[in-house]
Amino acid sequence: VQKSQMRLTWVLLAAALLSIGVEARKKSGHKKGEPVKEVEEPVAEKKIVRNKHAKIVEVVDEEHTIEDVDEDKIDEILREARSNLVIFFYDGRAACPSCGEALAEIEEIDDDIEATGYVNVVKTDDRSVAKELGVTTFPSLVYYRRKNPILYDGEFTDSEAVLRWLRAHEEVATWDLTDDNFERLTDSHSPDEGTLDWFVMFYNAENSACHSYVALWETVAHKLRGLVNVGKVEMGVNDDVSERFHVEKGDCPTFLLLHRGKMYRYKDTARDVRSLFNFAMFKFKELRGHRVPDPPSAVERVYELCKEKMLDALDDSQTLSVLGVGGLLVMVAATLIIKAYRIKSAAAAHEKAQ
Protein backbone atom coordinates (compact mmCIF):
# COMPACT_ATOMS: atom_id res chain seq x y z
CA VAL A 1 0.00 0.00 0.00
CA GLN A 2 2.81 2.38 0.88
CA LYS A 3 4.48 1.68 -2.49
CA SER A 4 1.21 2.40 -4.30
CA GLN A 5 0.76 5.69 -2.45
CA MET A 6 4.35 6.76 -3.21
CA ARG A 7 3.94 5.93 -6.92
CA LEU A 8 0.71 7.98 -7.05
CA THR A 9 2.47 10.93 -5.42
CA TRP A 10 5.25 10.91 -8.07
CA VAL A 11 2.69 10.75 -10.88
CA LEU A 12 0.75 13.75 -9.48
CA LEU A 13 4.01 15.72 -9.06
CA ALA A 14 5.07 15.02 -12.65
CA ALA A 15 1.62 16.05 -13.91
CA ALA A 16 1.82 19.31 -11.96
CA LEU A 17 5.26 20.14 -13.39
CA LEU A 18 4.06 19.37 -16.91
CA SER A 19 1.03 21.63 -16.42
CA ILE A 20 3.22 24.51 -15.21
CA GLY A 21 5.47 24.19 -18.29
CA VAL A 22 2.50 24.29 -20.68
CA GLU A 23 1.10 27.43 -19.02
CA ALA A 24 4.49 29.14 -19.20
CA ARG A 25 4.73 28.43 -22.93
CA LYS A 26 1.24 29.80 -23.55
CA LYS A 27 2.07 33.01 -21.76
CA SER A 28 5.34 33.50 -23.61
CA GLY A 29 3.75 32.72 -26.98
CA HIS A 30 6.74 30.62 -27.95
CA LYS A 31 6.22 27.30 -29.64
CA LYS A 32 8.56 24.41 -29.39
CA GLY A 33 10.98 24.22 -32.26
CA GLU A 34 10.73 27.90 -33.18
CA PRO A 35 13.81 30.07 -32.72
CA VAL A 36 13.49 32.98 -30.36
CA LYS A 37 13.22 36.21 -32.37
CA GLU A 38 15.15 39.25 -31.22
CA VAL A 39 13.04 42.40 -31.06
CA GLU A 40 14.59 45.24 -33.07
CA GLU A 41 14.05 48.79 -31.89
CA PRO A 42 12.49 50.97 -34.59
CA VAL A 43 14.87 53.53 -36.11
CA ALA A 44 13.14 56.81 -36.89
CA GLU A 45 14.56 58.74 -39.82
CA LYS A 46 12.76 61.84 -38.66
CA LYS A 47 11.71 62.99 -35.24
CA ILE A 48 9.48 65.72 -33.90
CA VAL A 49 11.23 68.16 -31.57
CA ARG A 50 10.32 71.38 -29.82
CA ASN A 51 12.53 74.40 -29.57
CA LYS A 52 13.78 75.60 -26.21
CA HIS A 53 10.76 77.86 -25.75
CA ALA A 54 8.34 75.07 -26.76
CA LYS A 55 6.49 77.44 -29.10
CA ILE A 56 6.96 75.75 -32.46
CA VAL A 57 6.93 72.14 -33.53
CA GLU A 58 9.45 71.32 -36.25
CA VAL A 59 10.01 68.16 -38.21
CA VAL A 60 13.77 67.76 -38.40
CA ASP A 61 15.72 65.34 -40.56
CA GLU A 62 18.62 64.21 -38.39
CA GLU A 63 20.90 63.61 -41.38
CA HIS A 64 19.93 66.46 -43.71
CA THR A 65 18.75 69.39 -41.60
CA ILE A 66 18.25 72.69 -43.46
CA GLU A 67 20.50 75.40 -42.06
CA ASP A 68 18.80 77.94 -39.79
CA VAL A 69 20.05 81.45 -40.60
CA ASP A 70 19.50 85.09 -39.69
CA GLU A 71 19.44 88.34 -41.69
CA ASP A 72 23.24 88.76 -41.71
CA LYS A 73 23.80 85.26 -43.11
CA ILE A 74 21.18 85.79 -45.82
CA ASP A 75 22.84 89.08 -46.83
CA GLU A 76 26.19 87.31 -46.98
CA ILE A 77 24.83 84.61 -49.31
CA LEU A 78 23.16 87.17 -51.57
CA ARG A 79 26.32 89.29 -51.77
CA GLU A 80 28.22 86.36 -53.22
CA ALA A 81 25.78 86.38 -56.17
CA ARG A 82 27.10 83.01 -57.32
CA SER A 83 24.02 81.00 -56.48
CA ASN A 84 20.27 81.32 -56.11
CA LEU A 85 18.66 81.06 -52.70
CA VAL A 86 15.51 79.39 -51.36
CA ILE A 87 14.35 80.76 -47.99
CA PHE A 88 11.77 78.88 -45.92
CA PHE A 89 10.04 81.10 -43.34
CA TYR A 90 8.55 79.62 -40.18
CA ASP A 91 7.02 81.24 -37.10
CA GLY A 92 9.33 81.17 -34.10
CA ARG A 93 7.05 83.16 -31.82
CA ALA A 94 3.79 81.21 -31.84
CA ALA A 95 2.60 77.63 -32.14
CA CYS A 96 2.70 76.63 -35.80
CA PRO A 97 2.05 72.90 -36.46
CA SER A 98 1.72 73.58 -40.20
CA CYS A 99 5.26 75.03 -40.20
CA GLY A 100 6.64 71.65 -39.12
CA GLU A 101 4.61 69.81 -41.75
CA ALA A 102 5.69 72.24 -44.46
CA LEU A 103 9.34 72.01 -43.43
CA ALA A 104 9.14 68.22 -43.71
CA GLU A 105 8.02 68.61 -47.34
CA ILE A 106 10.92 70.97 -48.10
CA GLU A 107 13.32 68.51 -46.45
CA GLU A 108 12.06 65.89 -48.90
CA ILE A 109 13.38 67.89 -51.87
CA ASP A 110 16.33 69.64 -50.21
CA ASP A 111 18.90 67.35 -51.85
CA ASP A 112 17.20 67.62 -55.26
CA ILE A 113 17.28 71.42 -55.08
CA GLU A 114 20.89 71.71 -53.99
CA ALA A 115 22.02 69.01 -56.42
CA THR A 116 21.85 71.62 -59.18
CA GLY A 117 24.94 73.21 -57.68
CA TYR A 118 23.65 76.77 -57.87
CA VAL A 119 20.77 76.83 -55.35
CA ASN A 120 21.11 77.01 -51.56
CA VAL A 121 18.24 76.18 -49.19
CA VAL A 122 17.94 77.81 -45.76
CA LYS A 123 15.25 78.44 -43.16
CA THR A 124 14.65 81.41 -40.86
CA ASP A 125 12.24 82.89 -38.37
CA ASP A 126 13.82 86.36 -38.65
CA ARG A 127 10.87 88.78 -38.73
CA SER A 128 12.92 91.62 -40.23
CA VAL A 129 13.72 89.53 -43.31
CA ALA A 130 10.09 88.43 -43.59
CA LYS A 131 8.89 92.04 -43.42
CA GLU A 132 11.38 93.15 -46.05
CA LEU A 133 10.04 90.52 -48.47
CA GLY A 134 6.37 91.06 -47.72
CA VAL A 135 5.95 87.74 -45.87
CA THR A 136 2.97 88.07 -43.52
CA THR A 137 1.86 84.45 -43.06
CA PHE A 138 3.73 81.31 -42.02
CA PRO A 139 4.92 79.04 -43.43
CA SER A 140 6.13 80.86 -46.55
CA LEU A 141 8.77 80.36 -49.22
CA VAL A 142 10.79 82.95 -51.16
CA TYR A 143 13.03 82.07 -54.11
CA TYR A 144 15.88 84.45 -54.99
CA ARG A 145 17.06 84.26 -58.62
CA ARG A 146 20.10 86.50 -59.25
CA LYS A 147 18.96 88.69 -56.33
CA ASN A 148 15.39 88.86 -57.70
CA PRO A 149 12.91 87.43 -55.15
CA ILE A 150 9.62 85.70 -55.94
CA LEU A 151 6.99 84.65 -53.39
CA TYR A 152 5.64 81.06 -53.51
CA ASP A 153 1.83 81.15 -53.62
CA GLY A 154 1.06 77.42 -53.50
CA GLU A 155 0.43 74.78 -50.84
CA PHE A 156 3.05 72.80 -48.90
CA THR A 157 1.23 69.48 -49.00
CA ASP A 158 3.20 68.03 -51.93
CA SER A 159 7.00 68.35 -52.03
CA GLU A 160 7.10 67.46 -55.74
CA ALA A 161 4.72 70.33 -56.53
CA VAL A 162 7.04 72.74 -54.73
CA LEU A 163 10.02 71.37 -56.67
CA ARG A 164 8.21 71.80 -59.99
CA TRP A 165 7.34 75.37 -59.02
CA LEU A 166 11.00 76.17 -58.25
CA ARG A 167 12.17 74.74 -61.57
CA ALA A 168 9.48 76.63 -63.50
CA HIS A 169 10.38 79.98 -61.91
CA GLU A 170 14.13 80.12 -62.43
CA GLU A 171 13.79 82.95 -64.98
CA VAL A 172 12.91 86.50 -63.91
CA ALA A 173 9.62 87.64 -65.49
CA THR A 174 9.45 91.30 -64.40
CA TRP A 175 10.86 93.99 -66.70
CA ASP A 176 12.91 96.81 -65.16
CA LEU A 177 11.57 100.00 -66.76
CA THR A 178 13.52 103.26 -66.70
CA ASP A 179 13.33 106.81 -68.09
CA ASP A 180 15.44 105.66 -71.04
CA ASN A 181 13.61 102.49 -72.06
CA PHE A 182 10.02 102.94 -70.83
CA GLU A 183 8.38 104.15 -74.04
CA ARG A 184 10.61 102.05 -76.28
CA LEU A 185 9.60 98.83 -74.49
CA THR A 186 5.97 99.56 -73.61
CA ASP A 187 4.95 101.72 -76.60
CA SER A 188 2.29 102.89 -74.17
CA HIS A 189 1.12 106.01 -76.06
CA SER A 190 0.32 104.38 -79.40
CA PRO A 191 0.69 100.58 -79.18
CA ASP A 192 0.43 98.40 -82.27
CA GLU A 193 -2.71 96.36 -82.77
CA GLY A 194 -2.55 93.02 -80.98
CA THR A 195 0.38 93.86 -78.70
CA LEU A 196 0.22 92.74 -75.09
CA ASP A 197 -0.92 95.14 -72.38
CA TRP A 198 1.51 96.31 -69.72
CA PHE A 199 0.95 96.14 -65.96
CA VAL A 200 3.42 98.47 -64.23
CA MET A 201 4.26 98.93 -60.55
CA PHE A 202 5.82 102.21 -59.39
CA TYR A 203 7.73 101.65 -56.13
CA ASN A 204 10.30 103.30 -53.89
CA ALA A 205 13.29 101.14 -52.99
CA GLU A 206 14.09 103.39 -50.03
CA ASN A 207 10.66 102.79 -48.50
CA SER A 208 10.78 99.33 -46.89
CA ALA A 209 6.99 98.94 -46.80
CA CYS A 210 6.76 99.81 -50.49
CA HIS A 211 9.80 97.78 -51.53
CA SER A 212 8.34 94.68 -49.86
CA TYR A 213 5.94 94.28 -52.82
CA VAL A 214 8.76 93.37 -55.21
CA ALA A 215 8.62 89.62 -54.41
CA LEU A 216 4.83 89.53 -54.73
CA TRP A 217 5.01 91.51 -58.00
CA GLU A 218 7.33 88.90 -59.49
CA THR A 219 4.74 86.24 -58.61
CA VAL A 220 2.11 88.28 -60.46
CA ALA A 221 4.47 88.57 -63.44
CA HIS A 222 4.78 84.78 -63.72
CA LYS A 223 1.02 84.35 -63.42
CA LEU A 224 0.50 86.80 -66.30
CA ARG A 225 3.40 85.55 -68.42
CA GLY A 226 2.39 85.42 -72.07
CA LEU A 227 -0.87 87.27 -71.32
CA VAL A 228 0.25 90.67 -70.01
CA ASN A 229 3.73 92.16 -69.80
CA VAL A 230 4.69 93.14 -66.24
CA GLY A 231 7.24 95.82 -65.35
CA LYS A 232 8.38 97.90 -62.41
CA VAL A 233 9.66 101.49 -62.16
CA GLU A 234 11.83 102.64 -59.27
CA MET A 235 10.53 106.14 -58.60
CA GLY A 236 13.56 107.56 -56.82
CA VAL A 237 15.73 106.84 -59.86
CA ASN A 238 13.29 107.44 -62.73
CA ASP A 239 11.70 110.82 -62.04
CA ASP A 240 10.72 111.52 -65.66
CA VAL A 241 8.40 108.52 -66.00
CA SER A 242 6.95 109.12 -62.53
CA GLU A 243 6.19 112.76 -63.36
CA ARG A 244 4.77 111.83 -66.74
CA PHE A 245 2.22 109.48 -65.17
CA HIS A 246 1.61 111.80 -62.19
CA VAL A 247 2.75 109.24 -59.63
CA GLU A 248 3.62 110.76 -56.26
CA LYS A 249 6.09 109.19 -53.82
CA GLY A 250 3.34 109.06 -51.23
CA ASP A 251 1.30 106.79 -53.54
CA CYS A 252 3.56 103.82 -53.08
CA PRO A 253 3.21 101.34 -54.57
CA THR A 254 1.13 102.48 -57.55
CA PHE A 255 -0.18 99.95 -60.10
CA LEU A 256 -1.10 101.09 -63.62
CA LEU A 257 -2.46 98.95 -66.44
CA LEU A 258 -1.66 100.29 -69.92
CA HIS A 259 -4.24 99.10 -72.44
CA ARG A 260 -4.57 100.38 -76.05
CA GLY A 261 -3.29 103.87 -75.32
CA LYS A 262 -5.23 104.26 -72.07
CA MET A 263 -4.21 103.75 -68.45
CA TYR A 264 -6.18 102.26 -65.59
CA ARG A 265 -5.12 102.70 -61.96
CA TYR A 266 -5.57 99.84 -59.50
CA LYS A 267 -7.35 101.31 -56.46
CA ASP A 268 -8.47 98.28 -54.44
CA THR A 269 -7.12 97.88 -50.92
CA ALA A 270 -6.42 94.18 -51.50
CA ARG A 271 -2.91 93.80 -52.87
CA ASP A 272 -2.51 90.07 -53.25
CA VAL A 273 -1.63 87.92 -56.25
CA ARG A 274 -5.20 86.91 -57.11
CA SER A 275 -6.64 90.45 -56.92
CA LEU A 276 -3.87 91.96 -59.05
CA PHE A 277 -4.10 89.12 -61.57
CA ASN A 278 -7.87 89.52 -61.92
CA PHE A 279 -7.52 93.28 -62.38
CA ALA A 280 -5.00 92.87 -65.20
CA MET A 281 -7.11 90.26 -66.97
CA PHE A 282 -10.61 91.77 -66.82
CA LYS A 283 -11.40 93.91 -63.75
CA PHE A 284 -9.81 97.03 -65.26
CA LYS A 285 -12.61 97.13 -67.84
CA GLU A 286 -15.00 98.17 -65.08
CA LEU A 287 -13.11 101.46 -64.67
CA ARG A 288 -12.90 104.57 -66.84
CA GLY A 289 -9.57 104.74 -68.58
CA HIS A 290 -7.52 107.90 -69.11
CA ARG A 291 -5.41 108.74 -72.12
CA VAL A 292 -1.75 107.86 -71.64
CA PRO A 293 0.28 111.10 -71.36
CA ASP A 294 2.39 112.02 -74.38
CA PRO A 295 5.98 110.79 -74.24
CA PRO A 296 8.66 113.50 -74.00
CA SER A 297 9.80 115.00 -77.32
CA ALA A 298 13.41 114.91 -78.49
CA VAL A 299 13.90 118.54 -77.39
CA GLU A 300 12.47 117.77 -73.94
CA ARG A 301 14.74 114.75 -73.58
CA VAL A 302 17.81 116.85 -74.46
CA TYR A 303 16.67 119.53 -72.02
CA GLU A 304 16.19 116.99 -69.22
CA LEU A 305 19.60 115.46 -69.96
CA CYS A 306 21.29 118.87 -69.79
CA LYS A 307 19.43 119.70 -66.60
CA GLU A 308 20.58 116.46 -64.97
CA LYS A 309 24.19 117.13 -66.01
CA MET A 310 24.03 120.65 -64.59
CA LEU A 311 22.54 119.42 -61.31
CA ASP A 312 25.23 116.77 -61.05
CA ALA A 313 27.86 119.44 -61.70
CA LEU A 314 26.43 121.71 -59.01
CA ASP A 315 26.70 118.86 -56.54
CA ASP A 316 30.40 118.59 -57.30
CA SER A 317 32.34 121.88 -57.02
CA GLN A 318 35.40 120.35 -58.66
CA THR A 319 33.36 119.23 -61.65
CA LEU A 320 31.80 122.70 -61.84
CA SER A 321 35.25 124.31 -61.95
CA VAL A 322 36.35 121.99 -64.73
CA LEU A 323 33.18 122.73 -66.68
CA GLY A 324 33.70 126.46 -66.19
CA VAL A 325 37.27 126.40 -67.46
CA GLY A 326 36.33 124.07 -70.28
CA GLY A 327 33.43 126.29 -71.30
CA LEU A 328 35.71 129.33 -71.32
CA LEU A 329 38.24 127.52 -73.53
CA VAL A 330 35.48 126.50 -75.93
CA MET A 331 34.29 130.11 -76.17
CA VAL A 332 37.84 131.39 -76.81
CA ALA A 333 38.47 128.69 -79.42
CA ALA A 334 35.18 129.49 -81.16
CA THR A 335 36.05 133.20 -81.20
CA LEU A 336 39.49 132.51 -82.71
CA ILE A 337 38.02 130.22 -85.36
CA ILE A 338 35.42 132.82 -86.35
CA LYS A 339 38.07 135.55 -86.46
CA ALA A 340 40.40 133.38 -88.60
CA TYR A 341 37.50 132.60 -90.93
CA ARG A 342 36.74 136.31 -91.36
CA ILE A 343 40.40 137.14 -92.03
CA LYS A 344 40.60 134.37 -94.59
CA SER A 345 37.40 135.50 -96.27
CA ALA A 346 38.63 139.09 -96.40
CA ALA A 347 41.95 138.02 -97.92
CA ALA A 348 40.16 135.92 -100.53
CA ALA A 349 37.91 138.84 -101.44
CA HIS A 350 40.91 141.16 -101.70
CA GLU A 351 42.72 138.76 -104.07
CA LYS A 352 39.63 138.43 -106.23
CA ALA A 353 39.27 142.21 -106.44
CA GLN A 354 42.83 142.54 -107.72
Side-chain angles (χ1 to χ4, degrees), residues 60-336:
V60 180
D61 190 321
E62 291 181 309
E63 295 183 358
H64 305 288
T65 304
I66 294 176
E67 182 182 5
D68 207 326
V69 299
D70 57 10
E71 184 178 12
D72 293 336
K73 182 61 176 179
I74 290 173
D75 290 340
E76 179 185 335
I77 297 173
L78 292 177
R79 276 197 303 271
E80 293 179 357
R82 289 180 296 181
S83 61
N84 295 338
L85 180 64
V86 175
I87 308 175
F88 175 83
F89 289 90
Y90 65 90
D91 195 346
R93 297 184 182 180
C96 181
S98 60
C99 291
E101 296 167 2
L103 182 58
E105 295 296 331
I106 303 302
E107 288 282 1
E108 291 277 345
I109 56 175
D110 178 25
D111 291 341
D112 293 325
I113 298 172
E114 295 191 340
T116 60
Y118 61 88
V119 183
N120 291 331
V121 183
V122 298
K123 63 183 178 183
T124 186
D125 64 344
D126 195 316
R127 289 296 180 101
S128 60
V129 180
K131 183 178 180 181
E132 182 181 347
L133 294 171
V135 174
T136 57
T137 59
F138 302 96
S140 288
L141 193 75
V142 171
Y143 183 23
Y144 267 97
R145 296 84 27 87
R146 297 171 299 284
K147 297 185 179 181
N148 291 276
I150 181 171
L151 185 65
Y152 176 64
D153 64 332
E155 300 292 334
F156 289 95
T157 55
D158 184 359
S159 60
E160 290 300 322
V162 178
L163 183 60
R164 286 194 297 270
W165 181 89
L166 290 170
R167 288 172 174 170
H169 292 74
E170 291 181 350
E171 297 300 322
V172 179
T174 305
W175 291 79
D176 287 316
L177 302 175
T178 65
D179 289 341
D180 296 329
N181 67 16
F182 187 92
E183 192 59 31
R184 175 171 56 83
L185 292 177
T186 65
D187 197 18
S188 61
H189 187 258
S190 55
D192 295 332
E193 187 69 26
T195 57
L196 296 181
D197 295 340
W198 278 84
F199 202 10
V200 181
M201 178 180 74
F202 291 79
Y203 74 104
N204 186 354
E206 297 179 356
N207 184 327
S208 59
C210 184
H211 187 263
S212 65
Y213 283 91
V214 171
L216 179 142
W217 193 238
E218 176 67 9
T219 308
V220 174
H222 270 273
K223 292 285 185 181
L224 292 171
R225 199 168 190 175
L227 303 171
V228 177
N229 290 322
V230 176
K232 63 180 187 290
V233 176
E234 187 177 345
M235 290 188 287
V237 179
N238 303 285
D239 296 331
D240 294 345
V241 177
S242 301
E243 291 175 6
R244 176 188 170 191
F245 286 91
H246 309 291
V247 177
E248 302 293 336
K249 287 187 177 180
D251 302 331
C252 186
T254 295
F255 304 98
L256 294 180
L257 182 77
L258 309 177
H259 171 74
R260 297 181 181 179
K262 290 188 176 183
M263 61 181 186
Y264 302 81
R265 185 178 292 233
Y266 181 83
K267 297 181 180 180
D268 291 350
T269 55
R271 294 174 176 177
D272 53 64
V273 174
R274 177 178 295 180
S275 301
L276 291 164
F277 175 85
N278 290 340
F279 179 81
M281 292 301 297
F282 56 87
K283 280 282 187 180
F284 75 91
K285 297 177 182 178
E286 299 175 3
L287 303 178
R288 178 171 173 262
H290 298 275
R291 187 70 186 171
V292 171
D294 294 335
S297 63
V299 175
E300 290 173 329
R301 286 197 295 268
V302 172
Y303 169 75
E304 290 295 335
L305 179 62
C306 293
K307 185 175 74 172
E308 289 178 9
K309 296 297 182 183
M310 288 298 296
L311 291 174
D312 291 341
L314 289 172
D315 292 337
D316 188 347
S317 58
Q318 184 179 357
T319 304
L320 184 60
S321 300
V322 172
L323 287 175
V325 174
L328 181 60
L329 291 174
V330 169
M331 291 176 64
V332 172
T335 302
L336 292 174

